[in-house]
């Protein structure tokens, strides 16, 4: 099965649509993907929260998690835990979400286990808040993770951590974009952010997981950032959220 892995859409409909179009292109094996696993943070920061939720809900064989910004939009996390820009965006999102989309977000979990894969918004150890950005944090998660592979988001940085069987120390490396990589040993894999990358590459990030052949492919796709910036400004959201999309920080 080919599974589209997306995370941290952050109410950026242009980026989401670009990813779906790119991932769904026909190839010699037919459709681009059979199912979608979304690792959370559908909303927050961006101007299209309802549209993004509704688009994600329409995707085939969907498994979707809830993220910290989704929880903030529901009022389940105090806005005082966020910086000023994130608070303003979360408050605006609270006022903008439709009742139906609120209900959908409330139906989601922050962690799921599917066969050999642990899916978490942030980390298996702390599904809502923990950033896995270094080998030490990865090691702590490998200790409690009961599956071979963990799929995580939250950091907005495409990364992978590998723990070879003969050692207990993790190896961290960025994935090679556009190159299919064999899954081996134990791994934590982050597809990066669809709607707000933070690795100095403004292109939307996602990944393709082939469970039959045990491969992972990191991908990037450009989208119309200026359109999103215009809608951010029209909505009265923080200017910083518009500017940062240009450089991917």
């Amino acid at each position: 099965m080919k599974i589209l892995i997306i995370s941290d859409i952050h109410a950026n409909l242009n980026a989401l649509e670009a990813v779906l179009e790119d991932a769904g292109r026909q190839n010699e094996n037919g459709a681009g993907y059979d199912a979608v696993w979304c690792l959370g943070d559908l909303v927050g920061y961006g101007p299209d929260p309802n549209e993004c939720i509704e688009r994600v809900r329409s995707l085939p064989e969907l498994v979707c998690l809830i993220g910290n910004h989704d929880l903030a939009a529901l009022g389940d996390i105090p806005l005082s835990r966020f910086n000023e820009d994130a608070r303003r965006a979360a408050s605006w999102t609270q006022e903008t979400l439709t009742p139906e989309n609120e209900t959908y977000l409330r139906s989601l979990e922050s962690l799921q286990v599917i066969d050999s894969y642990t899916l978490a918004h942030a980390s298996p150890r702390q599904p809502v808040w923990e950033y896995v950005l270094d080998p030490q944090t990865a090691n702590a998660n490998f200790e409690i993770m009961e599956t071979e592979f963990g799929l995580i988001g939250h950091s907005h940085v495409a990364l992978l951590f590998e723990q070879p069987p003969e050692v207990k120390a993790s190896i961290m490396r960025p994935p090679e974009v556009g190159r299919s990589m064999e899954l081996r040993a134990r791994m934590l894999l982050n597809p990066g952010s669809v709607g707000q990358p933070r690795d100095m590459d403004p292109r939307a990030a996602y990944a393709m997981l082939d469970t039959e052949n045990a491969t992972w492919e990191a991908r990037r796709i450009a989208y119309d950032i200026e359109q999103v910036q215009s809608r951010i400004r029209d909505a009265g959201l923080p200017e910083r959220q518009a500017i940062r999309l240009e450089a991917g920080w």
Side-chain angles (χ1 to χ4, degrees), residues 10-245:
H10 284 296
N12 185 337
L13 185 63
N14 287 59
L16 176 59
E17 292 289 5
V19 163
L20 295 177
E21 180 180 0
D22 189 59
R25 294 184 192 279
Q26 297 289 317
N27 55 39
E28 64 274 12
N29 299 317
Y33 57 91
D34 306 298
V36 179
W37 292 353
C38 176
L39 304 179
D41 273 358
L42 285 73
V43 304
Y45 296 126
D48 313 307
N50 289 306
E51 294 84 352
C52 285
I53 293 172
E54 289 156 13
R55 188 69 176 96
V56 168
R57 291 179 66 184
S58 73
L59 298 174
E61 300 298 321
L62 175 68
V63 174
C64 189
L65 305 181
I66 195 167
N68 58 308
H69 284 264
D70 303 321
L71 289 164
L74 296 173
D76 291 351
I77 292 179
L79 298 189
S80 59
R81 296 193 67 177
F82 294 84
N83 63 45
E84 182 180 355
D85 284 350
R87 285 198 303 270
R88 287 176 55 193
S91 179
W92 178 87
T93 303
Q94 288 176 351
E95 298 172 356
T96 304
L97 280 181
T98 66
E100 182 180 7
N101 287 331
E102 287 185 21
T103 299
Y104 177 71
L105 289 181
R106 290 194 185 280
S107 73
L108 305 179
E109 302 174 355
S110 59
L111 184 146
Q112 288 196 44
V113 175
I114 303 173
D115 299 325
S116 299
Y117 303 89
T118 297
L119 282 60
H121 172 64
S123 77
R125 185 172 65 163
Q126 298 179 21
V128 173
W129 279 110
E130 183 172 49
Y131 290 93
V132 183
L133 290 168
D134 58 78
Q136 292 73 28
T137 308
N139 286 339
N141 278 277
F142 280 125
E143 287 180 6
I144 62 94
M145 193 171 74
E146 297 181 356
T147 60
E148 286 186 84
F149 308 110
L151 308 185
I152 57 176
H154 190 50
S155 70
H156 298 208
V157 178
L159 277 177
L160 62 90
F161 296 87
E162 179 178 350
Q163 188 181 68
E166 67 276 9
V167 297
K168 291 298 183 181
S170 300
I171 300 168
M172 179 180 74
R173 53 192 171 95
E176 295 185 47
V177 174
R179 182 174 179 179
S180 184
M181 177 197 70
E182 180 183 357
L183 296 179
R184 57 186 182 272
R186 303 187 76 204
M187 304 183 89
L188 282 168
L189 304 115
N190 190 324
S193 171
V194 170
Q196 195 188 91
R198 293 180 183 168
D199 55 3
M200 306 310 292
D201 183 341
R203 296 176 298 168
Y206 71 100
M208 296 295 295
L209 169 66
D210 187 328
T211 57
E212 181 177 353
N213 296 306
T215 61
W216 174 272
E217 181 182 338
R219 295 185 181 180
R220 304 301 285 252
I221 184 69
Y223 68 96
D224 192 337
I225 290 174
E226 290 186 0
Q227 277 194 16
V228 184
Q229 291 175 314
S230 178
R231 292 201 303 282
I232 286 174
R233 292 172 178 129
D234 288 345
L237 291 165
E239 175 67 14
R240 184 171 180 265
Q241 302 307 327
I243 294 172
R244 71 189 308 172
L245 295 179

